[in-house]
Amino acid sequence: GPMTWTGGTMSGTGTTVIGPTASLTLSGVVGKSLLRTLENHSPSANWTGGSIFFANGTLRNESDGTFTAALATDLSLINNGGANAVQNAGTFHHTGAGTTTANIPFHNSGEVNIQAGTLALNGGGAGSGLFEVDPGATLRFTGTHTHTAGTSLTGSGVVTFTGGTHTFSAGTFNPTGTVNFTGGTVTVNNTFTPTALGTISGTLTNNAAQTFSSVTLTGTLGGGGVVTVTGPMTWTGGTMSGTGTTVI
């Protein structure tokens, strides 16, 4: 049935299972401490308030589960030590206007849909699932994320890389909104068509043909692909490298 978690601690070596006919509500302004495994099978798990403190804790959203972060304010998944993770094999929605910052590994083999606000993945992660960023929403990668076979990154929202190492296989990187490469090292092995390309102040390695309406480069633009710029290009510092060609 319904479970409401407004504060306090789940601990021990056991597992808390939210069944497929149940509901889970994480609400209120008080933080919650997860020191065990919380396993969700419910299509109605809603996080509306209070940061979650992980200490050897795992939030596991199973293939039949839907977990929704409906946050009006900025909240975090906080690393308090130990082996912690979010493991999403089902559907993870971000619908609130606030920023959710995951300072623990976020593993996705299911579907993550950012409908509003910002999902910031600071703790890295891995997976073969879908990331879809809707208009007006933002997905931000800061930690290293291993994008394994089957990964797909799509949508017309904003995608920003501020750190970490990221490699996308052919056909997996298809954002159509604004893409920012402000930090980290990103390797893209397929053609993508962003609405706008932010300043490249990190490292962008293109191994496929790209066409950008404008480029501002202060970091590194490399790879074996041809990069064609159809509008203004501003080069204030950094490096162009690789076997490819930059065409103005």
Side-chain angles (χ1 to χ4, degrees):
M3 176 169 181
T4 303
W5 190 10
T6 60
T9 302
M10 292 193 200
S11 62
T13 58
T15 300
T16 303
V17 178
I18 309 301
T21 61
S23 64
L24 173 65
T25 302
L26 297 86
S27 60
V29 298
V30 177
K32 300 125 179 70
S33 296
L34 184 61
L35 286 67
R36 65 187 297 171
T37 296
L38 174 59
E39 180 180 301
N40 179 57
H41 295 265
S42 169
S44 182
N46 296 290
W47 178 27
T48 62
S51 290
I52 306 174
F53 296 81
F54 287 72
N56 287 316
T58 299
L59 173 59
R60 196 160 62 212
N61 189 43
E62 299 291 355
S63 59
D64 54 349
T66 298
F67 189 95
T68 301
L71 306 173
T73 58
D74 297 348
L75 292 174
S76 299
L77 305 173
I78 298 170
N79 189 342
N80 264 5
N84 305 300
V86 173
Q87 298 174 350
N88 178 57
T91 302
F92 186 101
H93 291 306
H94 194 282
T95 63
T99 296
T100 299
T101 302
N103 291 315
I104 63 173
F106 190 106
H107 306 306
N108 176 41
S109 59
E111 177 181 338
V112 175
N113 180 217
I114 303 98
Q115 300 174 1
T118 299
L119 177 61
L121 302 182
N122 289 7
S128 58
L130 167 68
F131 287 97
E132 183 175 9
V133 190
D134 289 351
T138 298
L139 173 61
R140 186 167 69 239
F141 291 99
T142 298
T144 293
H145 206 96
T146 303
H147 306 273
T148 56
T151 295
S152 181
L153 199 162
T154 66
S156 57
V158 177
V159 178
T160 298
F161 297 91
T162 63
T165 300
H166 310 268
T167 299
F168 293 93
S169 301
T172 63
F173 189 74
N174 299 293
T176 58
T178 299
V179 183
N180 302 302
F181 300 96
T182 59
T185 300
V186 183
T187 301
V188 179
N189 293 310
N190 63 273
T191 298
F192 69 104
T193 54
T195 299
L197 190 68
T199 299
I200 303 173
S201 50
T203 297
L204 171 61
T205 300
N206 279 305
N207 290 321
Q210 311 291 358
T211 300
F212 300 136
S213 60
S214 66
V215 172
T216 298
L217 178 63
T218 65
T220 298
L221 175 63
V226 175
V227 175
T228 300
V229 184
T230 61
M233 177 164 183
T234 304
W235 190 9
T236 61
T239 302
M240 292 194 202
S241 63
T243 58
T245 300
T246 303
V247 178
I248 309 304

